[in-house]
Amino acid sequence: MEAFLTTLLLTAIVQTGDRAQLLCAALGQRFARPVLLTIGVALACGLMALIGALGGVVVGTWISLDALRLFYALSLLFAGLGMLAPRRPVDTLPGWRTGPLLTGMLGLFILQFGDKGQFIVAATAARSHDWVWPLIGGWAGTVLGLMPAIIWQERLAAWPIRPARIAAGLVITAIGLALALGAFGLV
């Protein structure tokens, strides 16, 4: 259950102000059918979490316990640093004529493949030697992190996203750094 809750919380937080949220907001404005867009986004999140969880379990069988601790610490450290880095503009896929379901699913999958949330899912699965709970937590957390963008769209831009993103990035970076120092036996 710890793997579920940790992954749920972390993957939801790292979506704050992320390019995936911007894409979801843009697609929410473009398509009048948010249900189909939400299904497409949920499918993409599920596939990414599945790949991360299964990959993490495989990696977890190859490396030692100390390396697993470092892998988890680095996933958090780089996720936090990624939240502090400036965002590149997001392509809102204006030329895609595939409808809300496929545009949401394929666009988000392409944008998010190999992103920080997927590495958090993989590192949690590797550390826990379980793929089911990190998969479910990663899927639910990512969906929860992206749904406000689909629902509130341009109203989300009025919220203080940047300060929240910086605060969350600092906290996650500090936790990752502390865990990395612990993995090296320095703390």
Side-chain angles (χ1 to χ4, degrees):
M1 194 57 124
E2 175 192 346
F4 167 76
L5 293 173
T6 302
T7 311
L8 173 83
L9 181 65
L10 288 170
T11 54
I13 289 171
V14 300
Q15 298 307 318
T16 304
D18 197 39
R19 294 175 58 201
Q21 259 192 351
L22 298 177
L23 176 63
C24 287
L27 293 178
Q29 287 178 337
R30 178 172 150 195
F31 294 112
R33 296 182 304 242
V35 172
L36 290 176
L37 176 60
T38 301
I39 291 169
V41 166
L43 289 172
C45 294
L47 184 56
M48 287 183 301
L50 177 65
I51 293 168
L54 293 177
V57 168
V58 169
V59 168
T61 63
W62 293 343
I63 60 179
S64 70
L65 184 59
D66 289 333
L68 285 173
R69 287 184 188 130
L70 184 60
F71 179 44
Y72 185 73
L74 290 176
S75 75
L76 297 182
L77 183 63
F78 291 130
L81 291 173
M83 292 181 77
L84 297 173
R87 276 190 323 241
R88 294 177 303 181
V90 64
D91 180 6
T92 58
L93 315 174
W96 288 31
R97 303 287 175 231
T98 52
L101 185 109
L102 282 177
T103 302
M105 185 175 78
L106 295 174
L108 186 66
F109 183 81
I110 292 167
L111 179 66
Q112 290 281 90
F113 188 78
D115 196 47
K116 54 192 162 293
Q118 195 171 32
F119 276 98
I120 289 170
V121 171
T124 306
R127 189 176 82 156
S128 67
H129 301 291
D130 176 27
W131 64 275
V132 175
W133 289 114
L135 161 69
I136 297 169
W139 171 77
T142 305
V143 170
L144 286 172
L146 297 176
M147 284 306 103
I150 293 173
I151 295 167
W152 292 305
Q153 301 157 8
E154 72 276 351
R155 288 173 284 183
L156 194 66
W159 294 3
I161 297 291
R162 185 71 184 145
R165 184 173 170 84
I166 290 171
L170 288 171
V171 169
I172 293 173
T173 299
I175 292 169
L177 184 59
L179 291 173
L181 291 173
F184 284 117
L186 299 173
V187 175

